[in-house]
Structure formats: structure tokens, C-alpha cells
Amino acid sequence: MLPYYTIEIRDFNKRIDVSGLRGWRWILIIEGIPTTILGITCWFSLADTPETAKYLNLEEKTLLVARISRQVGATKSSGEQHWKDVREGLLDWKVWVFCFGQFGVDVMLYGYSTFLPTIIKGINPTASSAIVQVLTIPCYSLGGITYLIVGSISDRQQRRGFWCVLLGAISIIGYGLLMSNGGMKFRYAGCFLVAMGMYVVIGLPLAWLPSHTPRYGKRTTTIALQAMIGNSAGVMSSFVSSSSLISDLLSTAIPRVSVIYKGP
């Protein structure tokens, strides 16, 4: 909602200039302040182990310790930092394949979240900037709700791959609708389908990889690799999903595909 209200103010006043800063800068500041405060707070308040967690009572600490002890490969040594485990994490080819898979789905995330307004504008060129921003809200909402539901089911079943494949297929269908020539409604529906699968195929692997890496040193290494390689997708997505490319796709490539499909 914040981008919508910012654009509404801009359209009303023609220009936002508060303390010498334009509206888009204030969006980053307002959204960044809580994140920064939370990050600093967690550094000092978040415990490293259940035993040192002051915000847990004795019963909760005992329960967490019992759950950790039941994890596969859980030993006293596995919970300590060993450089041998770090080397194993760096030399495990399966970890690298998984991380580059994360890179692939993160390209979809960054491209979608950055250029969704451009995509919607291409679908309906007559829509105002404010309306375009409003139309992004239901897409993100559906994606978030779907992620919460599927994540809960996945945790209960302890199944990650099945849900990633299923919801990933839904995102592929969504991109198919976006590339179709079925009109604005069908292509806008594609935005919803992409969001439904996108957050699942990105979020579940973040729990999948660490939960299958029992030793502390290897787990921390794989988490760092997954985050580093995955987040670097933001660089690539800016080129893959550029505004000019999206505009060309929506205005020229899609009609050509439609003509080829329908035939003479």
C-alpha cells in the first residue's frame, strides 16, 4: 500500500520534496528503518542456544533441547564449529547444484517484484500509475497467503520437493498466460499464478537445505552459499527483465507467437 499512497501524493502535489528528498527515497527510508532496528536488536537479544535464551521458560528450553537431540546426526560434536565441516560444505557438489537452483528461482523473484508494475502497465497501457500499483497488491497478497499455507503443510508432512515442483509448475502456467494473446484478464491472471508458485519455490528451499545438513560447520557454510549465490540473482534479473525487454515482449513477441500458433 505504501507505493500506492506515495504515488497518490505525488499525483496530487505533482512532486514530493520533503526535507530535500523525493518520494521514492522516503519509501526506502520508511521501509528500511524497522528492518535496521530489528537487525540490531536481534544481534543482542536472539540467543545462540535454548539454554541461553532468557525469553524461554524451563519447560520451553527442555522441549527445544529434546527436539534438537532428535535431529538426524545430532551429537555434541555436530553442534560445534569444525573447519573440516566447512571444507566438506565447500566441496560438496550437491550443495553447489542446490545453490544455483536457488539462483534460478531468485531471478524470477527479483524480476517479478521489480518489474511487476511494468508488466501490468504493458497489459493495460491506459491505467494510471496509481491504479497499476494498486493492481500489484492482490498478486503479492495471494502469493504470501499461498506461501504460508503451503509452508505449514510442508512442515507437517516434512516434504519440500513435491510442493516446490507443484507450485513451480503453477508459476510456469502463469508465465504462459502472460505470454498468451488471451486479453488483459488472462494475462493479469497470469500475474497471480506466478506469485502463487514463486514464493513457495523460493522459501521452501531455505528450510530444505539446512534441515538436510546436520553438522553445524557444514550447515552454516551451505546457508551462506545459498544466500550469497541466490541473492546475486538480483544483478542478473535487472538485465533479463529490463523494462524495454518486457515492453518488446508484450507488444511484439506475443502477437507473433499467437499468429504462429493460429496459423494463416
Side-chain angles (χ1 to χ4, degrees):
M1 294 297 289
L2 184 59
Y4 168 69
Y5 286 120
T6 302
I7 290 177
E8 282 290 289
I9 296 173
R10 184 197 65 189
D11 291 342
F12 181 76
N13 294 324
K14 301 300 182 183
R15 181 173 179 268
I16 294 178
D17 191 350
V18 180
S19 300
L21 299 177
R22 300 298 298 273
W24 68 270
R25 296 182 184 273
W26 280 111
I27 291 177
L28 297 180
I29 292 172
I30 295 172
E31 292 183 344
I33 288 175
T35 305
T36 302
I37 294 175
L38 180 61
I40 296 174
T41 303
C42 287
W43 178 267
F44 295 101
S45 61
L46 192 62
D48 294 328
T49 63
E51 294 86 352
T52 59
K54 298 179 180 179
Y55 43 83
L56 298 177
N57 57 41
L58 181 59
E59 181 181 356
E60 292 170 335
K61 292 179 181 179
T62 304
L63 177 61
L64 281 177
V65 171
R67 285 182 175 178
I68 293 173
S69 65
R70 289 199 300 266
Q71 292 180 355
V72 177
T75 63
K76 181 179 180 181
S77 175
S78 68
E80 299 172 348
Q81 173 75 8
H82 297 284
W83 287 108
K84 178 183 177 181
D85 297 331
V86 174
R87 287 193 297 271
E88 288 185 1
L90 293 172
L91 297 176
D92 191 338
W93 66 270
K94 297 186 294 298
V95 172
W96 288 95
V97 171
F98 198 101
C99 290
F100 280 106
Q102 185 77 43
F103 175 88
V105 295
D106 280 358
V107 170
M108 177 173 63
L109 168 67
Y110 287 113
Y112 182 89
S113 59
T114 303
F115 293 101
L116 181 58
T118 305
I119 294 171
I120 294 177
K121 185 68 174 179
I123 294 173
N124 184 8
T126 61
S128 66
S129 297
I131 294 300
V132 167
Q133 292 293 337
V134 168
L135 291 175
T136 66
I137 297 172
C139 301
Y140 290 127
S141 299
L142 179 62
I145 293 171
T146 303
Y147 177 49
L148 291 175
I149 294 173
V150 175
S152 177
I153 297 173
S154 173
D155 270 344
R156 292 178 182 177
Q157 296 180 342
Q158 289 297 294
R159 300 177 69 185
R160 315 290 183 187
F162 170 78
W163 293 106
C164 285
V165 172
L166 178 62
L167 273 296
I170 292 177
S171 285
I172 293 173
I173 294 172
Y175 276 113
L177 289 178
L178 280 172
M179 295 179 64
S180 72
N181 198 27
M184 289 189 296
K185 293 181 179 180
F186 280 95
R187 289 156 74 182
Y188 183 51
C191 296
F192 285 87
L193 295 182
V194 172
M196 281 184 66
M198 178 179 65
Y199 291 107
V200 173
V201 299
I202 291 165
L204 291 190
L206 297 177
W208 191 357
L209 182 59
S211 63
H212 284 70
T213 312
R215 296 190 63 84
Y216 177 79
K218 186 175 182 179
R219 186 189 307 123
T220 55
T221 302
T222 57
I223 291 173
L225 285 174
Q226 186 180 23
M228 178 185 69
I229 296 174
N231 287 329
S232 64
V235 178
M236 180 177 176
S237 66
S238 62
F239 296 97
V240 173
S241 303
S242 64
S243 299
S244 59
L245 179 61
I246 293 173
S247 177
D248 292 341
L249 179 64
L250 292 173
S251 61
T252 61
I254 293 173
R256 289 173 187 171
V257 172
S258 176
V259 170
I260 294 172
Y261 174 75
K262 293 179 179 178

